[in-house]
């Protein structure tokens, strides 16, 4: 199913993906790299984000060139029912992300209101954040440009102030005793970028300028996310805390801190719930994307309010292990084997589904081991190579029979 005429500008996508990058989750993940120290930590951030960006770009480009959402584009390699499997898995991980983002935002909001007025109510802030995300969904991507311009300007100022606050005093260094290998740190950065892999086509599919728009979308996320990770790293090393509330309060932002936490959470989580709606619509043409996105937001808010959610490092790795091999197969089919269109008679591909499962297993088995570039890229290259050989040989056999 093709979508509406592509009318989204490159500038609006830059704002959208910068908003996705500026989030509390990125700062908290950056703080996990503190055991490496500042210099090695920054190198891990850069290398991990370069790899992540290099993987995000072709995924976004497929959506831009075909006009298909991520769930729809998966039909190229896995058929109709294979894309249904993708949709269900994607919906579940997006509900998880929605809950994580909302509870993190609510906790930060709670800390700030407690500091300012001595008032705390996490569940209320979950509701407030959830309602704002729903408003973002109703406004829709096409009508968000002016609002996003204002919000992104505020968030950009926030990153400058926050970065200055963290690095203005480097005299005291917090000693972090936990061990972390360089490869593990790189993989954590790659995993955060890959969490957007099953989403990016949902937004690039409507771009006016396909290649340029996709490239700038990835660059915008790369810059914003890298800065957030470095701020989280610096906060853990120099201030001894990665708590966003403490950092914002020490910057003397007061009420502005509430706005920063609120909108950074909303602009990031909006992409999660909207894509959950898009993946739901792939399951049935009768489903309205906006309505499904609102339902996803409500469910995510309820999970945030009533289900204990703490660390999500393993959640990131799980996402990588599921979607990295899947997209490696899609990249080979689309870019190397030139399968550009969806075959309506193609209900499923047992061969590619088996390769996907093998890739998942290989990823999980390799997790205890480290390379300087992590494990995602090696797994994707290996699965891509195997997929190319197998599918190329099958195509050759079919041509021989037809002759």
């Amino acid at each position: 199913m093709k979508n509406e005429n592509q009318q989204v500008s490159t500038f609006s996508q830059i704002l959208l993906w910068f908003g996705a990058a500026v989030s509390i989750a990125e700062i908290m993940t950056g703080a996990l790299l503190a055991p490496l120290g500042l210099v090695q930590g920054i190198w891990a951030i850069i290398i991990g984000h370069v790899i992540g960006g290099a993987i995000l770009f072709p995924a976004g480009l497929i959506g831009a060139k075909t006009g298909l959402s991520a769930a729809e584009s998966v039909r190229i390699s896995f058929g109709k029912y294979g894309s249904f499997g993708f949709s269900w898995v994607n919906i579940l991980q997006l509900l998880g992300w929605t809950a994580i983002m909302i509870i993190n935002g609510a906790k930060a909001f709670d800390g700030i209101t407690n500091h300012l007025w001595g008032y705390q109510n996490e569940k209320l802030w979950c509701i407030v954040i959830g309602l704002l995300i729903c408003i973002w969904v109703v406004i829709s991507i096409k009508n968000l440009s002016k609002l996003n311009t204002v919000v992104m300007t505020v968030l950009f100022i926030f990153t400058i102030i926050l970065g200055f606050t963290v690095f203005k005093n480097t005299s005291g260094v917090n000693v972090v005793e936990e061990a972390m290998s360089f490869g593990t740190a790189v993989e954590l950065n790659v995993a955060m970028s890959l969490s957007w892999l099953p989403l990016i086509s949902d937004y690039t599919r409507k771009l006016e300028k396909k290649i340029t728009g996709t490239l700038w979308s990835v660059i915008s996320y790369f810059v914003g996310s890298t800065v957030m990770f470095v701020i989280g790293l610096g906060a853990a090393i120099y201030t001894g805390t990665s708590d966003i509330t403490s950092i914002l309060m020490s910057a003397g932002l007061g009420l502005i801190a509430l706005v920063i936490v609120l909108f950074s959470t909303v602009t990031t989580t909006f992409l999660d719930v909207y894509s959950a709606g898009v993946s739901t619509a792939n399951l049935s043409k009768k489903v309205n994307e906006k309505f499904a996105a609102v339902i996803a937001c409500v469910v995510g808010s309820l999970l945030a309010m009533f289900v204990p959610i703490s660390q999500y490092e393993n959640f990131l790795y799980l996402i990588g292990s599921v979607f990295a091999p899947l997209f490696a197969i899609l990249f080979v089919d689309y870019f190397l084997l030139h399968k550009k269109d969806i075959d309506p008679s193609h209900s499923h591909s047992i061969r590619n589904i088996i390769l996907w499962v093998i890739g998942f297993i290989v990823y999980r088995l390799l997790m205890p081991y480290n390379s300087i570039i992590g494990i995602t890229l090696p797994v994707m290259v290996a699965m891509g190579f195997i997929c190319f050989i197998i599918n190329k040989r099958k195509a050759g056999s079919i041509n021989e029979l037809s002759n």
Side-chain angles (χ1 to χ4, degrees):
M1 179 180 66
K2 291 268 184 178
N3 296 284
E4 301 173 302
N5 292 331
Q6 298 176 344
Q7 298 176 346
V8 178
S9 68
T10 298
F11 180 68
S12 67
Q13 287 288 286
I14 290 173
L15 294 177
L16 190 76
W17 285 100
F18 183 78
V22 178
S23 75
I24 296 171
E26 305 264 346
I27 294 175
M28 293 171 63
T29 309
L32 296 175
L33 311 183
L36 288 181
L38 185 64
V39 175
Q40 285 199 48
I42 290 176
W43 273 114
I45 291 169
I46 293 172
I47 293 172
H49 278 75
V50 167
I51 294 172
I55 297 171
L56 280 178
F57 177 72
L61 190 59
I62 291 174
K65 287 195 169 185
T66 62
L68 300 171
S69 68
E72 290 170 332
S73 66
V74 167
R75 297 190 184 199
I76 294 172
S77 293
F78 296 92
K80 178 181 178 180
Y81 295 116
S83 78
F84 287 175
F86 168 89
S87 291
W88 282 114
V89 173
N90 198 32
I91 291 167
L92 289 174
Q93 71 101 1
L94 290 172
L95 288 176
W97 262 124
T98 299
I100 288 171
M101 295 303 299
I102 290 176
I103 193 60
N104 283 342
K107 285 181 180 295
F109 209 79
D110 210 40
I112 295 169
T113 55
N114 182 49
H115 181 87
L116 294 176
W117 305 301
Y119 180 77
Q120 292 181 285
N121 193 332
E122 271 189 22
K123 290 184 178 180
L124 175 61
W125 308 141
C126 286
I127 294 171
V128 170
I129 293 171
L131 285 174
L132 272 176
I133 295 168
C134 287
I135 291 172
W136 242 249
V137 171
V138 172
I139 291 174
S140 82
I141 294 175
K142 290 182 181 179
N143 302 317
L144 274 176
S145 183
K146 291 182 179 179
L147 180 60
N148 262 352
T149 301
V150 175
V151 173
M152 290 308 111
T153 300
V154 173
L155 290 180
F156 179 70
I157 294 172
F158 148 66
T159 62
I160 295 174
I161 295 173
L162 190 56
F164 176 77
T165 302
V166 169
F167 289 98
K168 68 179 179 180
N169 182 11
T170 60
S171 57
V173 177
N174 183 51
V175 178
V176 183
E177 296 181 353
E178 295 95 344
M180 173 178 281
S181 70
F182 188 82
T184 299
V186 169
E187 183 60 29
L188 195 56
N189 283 267
V190 176
M192 179 61 85
S193 297
L194 256 62
S195 68
W196 298 106
L197 188 60
L199 282 71
I200 188 168
S201 286
D202 297 343
Y203 306 97
T204 57
R205 61 180 170 152
K206 298 179 181 180
L207 276 168
E208 290 174 347
K209 297 181 179 179
K210 299 174 177 57
I211 297 176
T212 305
T214 303
L215 180 61
W216 278 106
S217 297
V218 173
I219 290 173
S220 178
Y221 175 76
F222 173 89
V223 172
S225 181
T226 298
V227 171
M228 292 297 100
F229 266 73
V230 171
I231 288 174
L233 173 66
I237 293 174
Y238 292 127
T239 69
T241 180
S242 59
D243 180 57
I244 191 68
T245 303
S246 300
I247 298 171
L248 289 171
M249 289 297 94
S250 65
L253 296 178
L255 289 174
I256 297 176
L258 291 177
V259 177
I260 290 169
V261 169
L262 195 60
F263 284 109
S264 65
T265 303
V266 169
T267 55
T268 301
T269 316
F270 158 75
L271 273 70
D272 293 323
V273 299
Y274 184 82
S275 285
V278 173
S279 285
T280 305
N282 179 59
L283 298 171
S284 172
K285 294 181 180 180
K286 297 179 180 180
V287 174
N288 179 275
E289 289 180 359
K290 281 188 180 181
F291 178 76
V294 170
I295 295 300
C297 184
V298 172
V299 173
S301 299
L302 291 173
L303 289 173
M305 292 167 65
F306 299 109
V307 177
I309 300 172
S310 54
Q311 295 183 356
Y312 54 89
E313 184 178 351
N314 290 331
F315 184 55
L316 280 174
Y317 290 136
L318 179 61
I319 293 171
S321 63
V322 170
F323 292 112
L326 181 149
F327 277 91
I329 295 168
L330 178 60
F331 293 166
V332 167
D333 278 347
Y334 186 86
F335 292 107
L336 299 182
L337 300 177
H338 307 294
K339 296 180 182 178
K340 307 286 186 180
D341 301 312
I342 296 174
D343 183 354
S345 64
H346 187 203
S347 63
H348 61 280
S349 173
I350 295 296
R351 182 177 60 259
N352 282 343
I353 290 174
I354 291 174
L355 287 173
W356 180 12
V357 172
I358 291 173
F360 172 80
I361 294 172
V362 169
Y363 187 106
R364 303 303 296 185
L365 291 175
L366 291 178
M367 282 186 62
Y369 304 97
N370 294 299
S371 75
I372 195 171
I373 56 172
I375 61 171
T376 294
L377 185 59
V379 168
M380 290 189 72
V381 170
M383 292 309 304
F385 178 76
I386 295 171
C387 176
F388 179 78
I389 295 299
I390 292 176
N391 287 313
K392 188 73 172 177
R393 181 175 297 177
K394 181 178 182 295
S397 300
I398 292 174
N399 290 333
E400 288 178 6
L401 289 173
S402 63
N403 291 330

